[in-house]
Amino acid sequence: QVRLVESGGGSVQAGGSLRLSCAVLTTYAYAYNTACMAWFRQAPGKEREAVATIDINGRTTYAASVKGRFTISRDNAKNTQYLQMNDPKPEDTAMYLCAADSVRPYCTGGFQATFYNRWGQGTQVTVSS
């Protein structure tokens, strides 16, 4: 079965950096390599929100709150996507989840959680002052 596994979370001081990884564990990873992928996050008591998306051409979109600080990327050879978090702030503290589609190559509508058919279990990121 298809599974997404996040890693790289942990505690970091404001102004530091952190890189999250999401591995696509399936023999059919090519389907996800040609589709939109994304990172979402959810803080306690808050709704799940989109952080960034990336399509098959490497085109990206970002939430206004992270633009200029976070960078999403993908390495299809490794069946992995990443979220580079630079200058993290305490308000970035949340559970970060990897999301993937298996059919749509572009990310129009990709800021909606219902767009995706596969989700990881999440990795916690805690940012301290």
Side-chain angles (χ1 to χ4, degrees):
Q1 294 183 322
V2 175
R3 187 181 181 192
L4 306 181
V5 180
E6 301 97 334
S7 62
S11 298
V12 62
Q13 290 187 334
S17 65
L18 201 66
R19 188 176 74 162
L20 309 183
S21 298
C22 171
V24 181
L25 305 181
T26 175
T27 56
Y28 303 104
Y30 68 89
Y32 296 89
N33 289 341
T34 59
C36 174
M37 299 188 73
W39 286 95
F40 281 68
R41 67 185 181 187
Q42 187 165 20
K46 302 293 181 63
E47 296 295 318
R48 184 173 297 184
E49 64 174 350
V51 175
T53 67
I54 184 166
D55 71 10
I56 59 169
N57 292 319
R59 290 192 292 263
T60 59
T61 60
Y62 296 92
S65 60
V66 306
K67 190 172 296 184
R69 298 187 296 118
F70 293 5
T71 302
I72 187 172
S73 61
R74 64 197 298 169
D75 185 341
N76 287 345
K78 296 182 180 294
N79 299 323
T80 303
Q81 70 158 325
Y82 307 92
L83 184 69
Q84 178 68 42
M85 304 172 63
N86 292 334
D87 188 28
K89 302 176 180 180
E91 52 263 43
D92 294 319
T93 294
M95 179 72 73
Y96 283 72
L97 302 106
C98 179
D101 189 46
S102 61
V103 294
R104 286 172 283 195
Y106 304 108
C107 297
T108 301
F111 265 52
Q112 298 292 326
T114 54
F115 183 94
Y116 305 93
N117 61 6
R118 293 291 185 274
W119 293 84
Q121 80 286 354
T123 185
Q124 179 68 37
V125 173
T126 301
V127 184
S128 60
S129 300

